[in-house]
Amino acid sequence: MKNEKNLAPRPGFVLDVDRTSPPVLFHHGDTFKLEKLPAGRSRVIYPPEPLEGLRDPDSAIRHALENPIGDSEPLSALLRPDMKLTIAFDDISLPLPPMRRPDIRQRIIEAVLDLAAEAGVDDVHLIAALAIHRRMTEDELRHAVGDRVYDAFAPSGRLYNHDAEDPEGMVVLGETPHGEDVQFSRRAAESDLVVYVNINLVSMDGGHKSTATGLSGYTGLRHHHNVHTMRNSTSFMDQENSELHASNWRMGKVIRDAGVKIFQIETTVNNNTFGRSGPLAVLQKREWEWSARDRASFVAMQKGLDVMPSSARRQIFNSWEAPYEMTSVQAGEVEAVHKITTENVYKQQIVEVEGQTDILTMGLPYISPYNVNSVMNPILVMCLGLGYFFNMYRGKPLVREGGVVIMSHPTPWEFHSVHHPSYIDFFEQVLADTTDPIEIERKYEKQFAEDEWYIHLYRNSYAYHGVHPFYMWYWGSHALEHLGRVIIVGGDSSAVQRLGFQSASTLPDALEMASDVVGPQPTITHMKNPPIFLADVK
Amino acid sequence: MNAITSSLGKARSFINKSGFPYRSAPTPYGVEPAPVKKNTGSDFNTDWARKYPARLTRAMLIEGFMRPAMKFLADPHISGVDRLSGIDGPVIFAANHHSHADTPLLLSTIPDPWRHHLVVGAAADYFFSTRVGGTISSLVMSAVPIERTKVGRRSAEMVRDLIDEGWSLIIFPEGGRSPDGWGQPFRGGAAYLAIRCGVPVVPIHIYGTGKILRKGKSLPRPSSTKITFGDPLMPDEGQNAKRFAEKLETAVAALADEASTDWWQARRRAYSKTSPDLTGPDAGGWRRIWALGKNDRRSQRKRWPDF
Amino acid sequence: MKALEFRRNIPRYAAARLAGSFTPGRGSGVGPIRLVDADLPELPNQDWEIVRPRLSGICGSDLATIDGKSARYFEPLVSFPFIPGHEVVGDLQDGTRVVLEPVLGCLSRNIDPPCKSCQDGQLGNCEYVTFGEISPGIQTGSCCDTGGGWSIAFAAHTSQLHPVGKDLSDEAAVMIEPTACGVHAALSTGIEPEGTVTVIGSGTLGLVTISALRSYFPDVKILATARYPHQKSLALDLGADVAIAPNEIKRAVRRMTKSRAISLSTEDGNVDRLTGGSDAVIDCVGSSESITDALSVTRPRGKIVLVGMPSSVNIELTPLWHREIQLVGAYTYGTEKLADGSVARTFDLAADLVDSAKLDRLLSAVYPLSRYQDALEHAASAGHRGAVKIAFDLRSEKERDLL
């Protein structure tokens, strides 16, 4: 007998803070803070509760493969013995944090390979579509695709990381009408069928971006990973208003016209990031619903974390695997599939919010897409706050033009030298000179993108590509243009200064500093994220 | 002593002074309170009560305390056990219900191999309304929560799972103890469960427990009892639950007849459908109680030894 | 006559060493230096003149002496007691304003024929600094017979004196001597016109070196390390292309020279040393760390020029051997051969550079002799306190007019 009957998940909502409202939980890197927001003019956006996962994900996957969406035959009808089949899958940046085994990618890849085995396909390659992210380690690949798949394909070199700097391995398929080069993995381009396995954590992911970005390189990426595109993506989480997506869709068309057949499999997960029960469950509960046990475990956790060295804290959090559950799976033609995927993402993540605010506060967690099993360096702090959190909107930004963003994060001057070597240089050289994205792009991008040492480390070690820190900065360029000031609470002041932001030791101080920009008695909105939500701002 | 009170006082004033998270936060104005996820009533989880530590505790309680107590209080006279010899595996025991003594009595009289693989269907709203009550009920009586009025899908699934695992169920199809000494009509629940689970139902008639501790009383009083096991009934495939419930009721009525007269007379009356009704005359006021009195007088006689 | 005199006194020397190791410049209080009433130096012969200093700079090597850190190497090359001070602009008795070129070479020692170096015009390399008519001493300010700049007056050989033009302020003129060191260092790199140079340290020497580099090699790429913000902005202003914190040097040189990096593993993203590197490195610090850094960022067959006085250091020389790096010193100056083949005295080049690059801005503060302890402490922590060059100002000393 199971007694885990879940009550119907409640939608997200906006709490108006009054004098009786409890302090709000802020993520603060690998610690937490409880912050009291001013009564009468503050509100807190709470994410929706996790939706129920599919009861039987494996049969849902098989059903999706045989009942494709859009103009596509069932997968089994596309498989022939003498064909070249390439299965590309999302890399370590999805989902966040990494999910418990079995990973969705494993389930899908095994289902696809079952069909391929049945059809007698011999030539199969599996590629981690990581574009210019760092390569995945063996452990990470095993986690994503499962041991069975890894042991069957990796030793013979048929399961590997995409290499965007391999001169032999990359090919330019053509040019979009906008003059954008479409660069693509040669193996994928020469395959009879590319099956893409996606995990759609946020609405930015998936669609043509999976392949047009994931299997591309600097030659292709520079056309949409730039300041102009990012400033015209309002926001990049909203495909309808995103130049980032428009460009990827144009490239997708070129890829299709070049004869590359893509069978896209997309999945969505719920936002059960910290679990409905367990040590971190309190993080996704609303404060007034914390039971005595929740409160005790929170206090104990906070006190425990406070006395730990930061490396120990990092180790603890890096070992957390989210109990995400798959909420939908759909396969077939890219655009038709992605439409439904996006609806399913919205179903989980949308919270309606009335109007903008003067000050937007956010508690940044310990993880961003680019520091899984790594260190969250100051550039990633900027990117998570001003890139991702700021852009978690549809309609208009949560904060008004000229408003202030206050981020809470320790922002240590600390880098992972293996994963982020070019970030160190970016921080020491580029940001010391200027924080203006346009200037940075003009003056330094080419130098970093073509630096041989970075390319060597990207290809042979586990380093992000030399140009990657630039993209982090561009990700925040829409916010930088929109905002009047950015303040980081509790950060390393010299690192914060290098980022071009202001440093405050407490939230009240930061609010005080913000009022210089937005005037007295400003309105404040706090994003209680994660778990992730997308604000639909009216 | 002083030190303890002063440190208690300190702790109290610390908690008084400090706010959230040392104290709980009020639900903010204008926010729907969270729907409570119940873990009482039919949602009470009793899995633990069927783990070995709980079973061992219960076996000790039954053999060491319950059986001697019942021997003293109820002096049970058991018949019809031989009727169970043909069955193998889990069954549902369906008995009439007069008293809280019924359950311990059955727990200490149902023979092996069922005795230590029993669960008792207990009213979810009565026994499991609080966590403490539910815990005691499930530990001592091996109770599982069953809805009194209409057996829900969850209860049914739970029972089926239990029966699949080899547990037998004691259920009181009347849905509660008799209010006045007469029986109540059998509800469809037990029949429904039996049909869903596809196991035999053993009708049991218990006589005399109403005297020991009838509804409304809190102190037991010794009185002799009779327990009669009937022939197992197997529901037919797709049988109507209501009809099967009636069949059960008739079977128990026949056992009652057998207990108060003899087997042969009871069988004859059963076939001629003239067994005395368990639920008493369909009349109001004094006549029901008067009619009950006849039985009472008879049982009164029985309290004295036959010379 | 007021003068700051340095005597040979072993206990005081030890005390200075101890005090200086806690607080730089603190050796002035307990050490062998004292403000005394000294006699006016006697002129050795008619070629000598009395100079009354106007401004007299405090140099890094002076501070090392005061804190007891200078090498015992110098012991036979100086004569006690001496009055320090060799960066001097002063007045002659006839009122001419002059700058002192402090080296006491064969000419001033009246040695004939002069040594080989002096014959070649490389005064700084004079081989006979312990011989001749005057006591041993490599420069004015280390010889017991001449006196030095940290006093009301001292003796100088006419060959040491360079008249200063009217347009040049005292503040500019006092910068000529240190600038000459920078010019000499910059020119001794022998760098290609479009090469790369790394300057370690942005104190006075570093800054004047940067300025000289920019002036004589307009197209080289110059990377400077600067610990403090004012040093960084001055370095950039004087011509450095990049100015970075000292601990960022390896990554910065790697970026500038587009070389690769080597560390324990070539894969771990750390930079211990470079595969290529800077064509030349000018080390204006002279510590074990700075020379080690220099060795890890100099390209094979590149050149390291030591301008900062190194004293005794502990360095791993394998890279010097393996990469065939030249490690050369640059002490003072003499005669320079420019890229266009012309020959000029370093001092004249320095005077021009001080004027054109407005190096008078490097003089941050002046003190009267009586506040010598404050002055020396300020000079010893100049970077930390936002300063570059500290000097004694003797223009308002009353005794000066009595002579």
Side-chain angles (χ1 to χ4, degrees), chain A residues 398-412:
Chain A
L398 272 166
V399 55
R400 70 168 167 82
E401 188 154 5
V404 173
V405 160
I406 298 176
M407 314 192 272
S408 179
H409 192 278
T411 325

Side-chain angles (χ1 to χ4, degrees), chain B residues 257 260-261 264-276:
Chain B
D257 199 9
S260 59
T261 59
W264 177 239
Q265 190 177 346
R267 289 321 298 159
R268 282 174 54 191
R269 285 212 283 218
Y271 281 115
S272 61
K273 299 194 191 316
T274 53
S275 301

Side-chain angles (χ1 to χ4, degrees), chain C residues 142-162:
Chain C
S142 64
C143 171
C144 63
D145 294 337
T146 60
W150 299 357
S151 65
I152 301 298
F154 66 94
H157 192 263
T158 44
S159 69
Q160 290 183 290
L161 299 173
H162 299 261

Side-chain angles (χ1 to χ4, degrees), chain B residues 168-217:
Chain B
S168 293
L169 174 72
I170 298 174
I171 194 166
F172 299 105
E174 290 164 82
R177 287 166 298 155
S178 157
D180 56 5
W182 285 105
Q184 302 173 82
F186 277 26
R187 304 191 202 214
Y192 169 73
L193 290 174
I195 293 167
R196 280 199 64 138
C197 304
V199 292
V201 182
V202 177
I204 302 177
H205 179 253
I206 305 172
Y207 171 76
T209 49
K211 289 251 171 342
I212 299 175
L213 189 68
R214 70 161 205 267
K215 193 167 181 175
K217 284 275 164 53

Side-chain angles (χ1 to χ4, degrees), chain A residues 413 417-418 421-422 424-426 428-429 447-448 451-454 456-457 460-462 498, chain C residues 232 242 244 247-249 251-252 254-256 258-262 266-271:
Chain A
W413 188 311
S417 68
V418 174
S422 63
I424 306 177
D425 290 302
F426 183 87
E428 286 180 358
Q429 182 184 21
Q447 177 201 333
F448 276 65
D451 190 304
E452 281 188 37
W453 183 53
Y454 300 146
H456 168 83
L457 293 174
N460 299 291
S461 178
Y462 298 97
R498 177 65 61 90
Chain C
K232 200 172 268 190
V242 182
I244 42 96
N247 60 350
E248 298 174 356
I249 180 170
R251 284 186 174 269
R254 193 204 66 75
R255 289 192 299 265
M256 186 175 75
K258 297 194 167 47
S259 63
R260 299 189 183 186
I262 297 174
T266 42
E267 251 68 285
D268 69 8
N270 283 317
V271 184

